[in-house]
Amino acid sequence: MSKAKGQGKDGEEGTGFSDRELQESHNSKQGASSLFLPFFLSLMLFAWLTWGGISISVDANGFALHPDREMTPEELAAREARTKARMAEQLYVTYCGACHQPHGKGIAGTYPPLDGSNWVDNGKRIASMTYVGLIGKIEVLGQVYDNPSGMPAIAKTANLKPEQIASIINYVRGSWSNADKKYPEVSVEEIQASEKELGDRDKPWTPEELLEKYPFGGASE
C-alpha cells in the first residue's frame, strides 16, 4: 500500500507540500534575495549622489558644510563680491529698472538705454544727473528721446546714500555690453565730491549744460 500523502520517507509527518511546491517556494525566496542587493546598492548610490550635489551647491554659494573650517581669503572675497553684485542689481532694478528696464535697453522714444550708451562713460556725469536730474531732448545711440518729465533727481527723491549711488553707477557701467569697456569703479568719495560740488543746486541739467561740463571723449571716470 502506498504511503499516505503528507508522510515523510520514514513515516514521519511531512510539511503537507509536494517536492515541486517546495522547490518553487525556495526559488521564489532566492529571487527576492537576489533583487534586494541591487536595490540596496542603487539606494546607496542615489543617497551619495544627492549628498554630493548638495555639497557642490552649498560650496558654490559660499557656505561651508563643515562650520569648523575657516574660509580662505579667496573664498571670502568671492562671497563678498557675489553679495555686493546682488545688492547693486537690486538697487538698480528698484530705482532705475522701471524706466531704463532691467536689461538696460530703456523704452523706445521715452527712456534712453544705458546699455552701450556713451552717456555713462563718465562717473561724475552720472552722479550729477542722479542728484539734480535731466530735462530736454537727448540723443542716445542715434535715437532721440524726449520725455517731458525728464529724468528725476533720483538720489534726492529716493533719499539714496552715496554708497547706494556708487553701487548703482558701478552696476550700470559694469553690466551688459558696458562690461566690455572695463570702466573703473566710482568710489563713494567721488560721489560725495560730486554732491558737494553741486551745492544747493536743484535745477535739472539740460543735455547741453551737462555735456559742456562733462564732454564725451573726456576722462572715463
Side-chain angles (χ1 to χ4, degrees):
M1 182 179 292
S2 64
K3 295 181 180 179
K5 182 179 180 181
Q7 283 188 336
K9 185 177 180 178
D10 298 327
E12 298 176 356
E13 290 188 1
T15 60
F17 296 100
S18 67
D19 291 343
R20 180 178 179 181
E21 290 173 328
L22 290 173
Q23 183 64 34
E24 287 177 352
S25 174
H26 177 71
N27 290 341
S28 175
K29 290 179 181 179
Q30 267 196 330
S33 298
S34 64
L35 288 174
F36 175 76
L37 183 58
F39 173 76
F40 177 75
L41 292 176
S42 299
L43 185 63
M44 292 295 293
L45 178 61
F46 175 77
W48 181 79
L49 290 174
T50 302
W51 178 251
I54 293 174
S55 174
I56 293 172
S57 175
V58 168
D59 285 342
N61 285 282
F63 296 97
L65 289 175
H66 308 289
D68 295 335
R69 183 183 75 81
E70 292 187 2
M71 297 181 72
T72 66
E74 292 77 14
E75 289 173 330
L76 289 170
R79 183 175 67 177
E80 183 179 353
R82 286 193 298 269
T83 302
K84 184 178 178 181
R86 284 195 298 267
M87 290 177 62
E89 181 180 14
Q90 184 176 356
L91 285 169
Y92 168 78
V93 171
T94 300
Y95 297 108
C96 310
C99 297
H100 298 291
Q101 300 297 293
H103 47 57
K105 296 188 182 301
I107 298 176
T110 308
Y111 300 110
L114 300 176
D115 180 15
S117 171
N118 53 357
W119 283 84
V120 307
D121 68 4
N122 188 300
K124 290 181 180 179
R125 185 193 300 127
I126 309 177
S128 295
M129 284 191 286
T130 62
Y131 274 111
V132 300
L134 183 75
I135 192 76
K137 291 183 180 180
I138 180 173
E139 184 177 337
V140 181
L141 299 176
Q143 299 294 318
V144 175
Y145 297 82
D146 187 14
N147 182 354
S149 302
M151 173 184 168
I154 191 67
K156 293 180 179 178
T157 57
N159 196 28
L160 296 177
K161 299 177 182 178
E163 293 84 354
Q164 294 174 308
I165 298 170
S167 291
I168 292 172
I169 292 175
N170 288 329
Y171 174 79
V172 168
R173 283 155 54 96
S175 298
W176 319 302
S177 66
N178 296 339
D180 298 334
K181 299 180 181 178
K182 302 187 184 302
Y183 291 121
E185 286 205 347
V186 175
S187 68
V188 174
E189 291 74 22
E190 288 173 316
I191 300 298
Q192 292 171 327
S194 293
E195 181 183 16
K196 185 177 180 180
E197 186 178 344
L198 289 167
D200 296 330
R201 174 172 178 151
D202 57 6
K203 179 184 176 182
W205 292 101
T206 65
E208 293 77 18
E209 279 183 301
L210 195 59
L211 289 179
E212 183 179 354
K213 187 171 180 65
Y214 304 108
F216 293 140
S220 299
E221 300 177 60

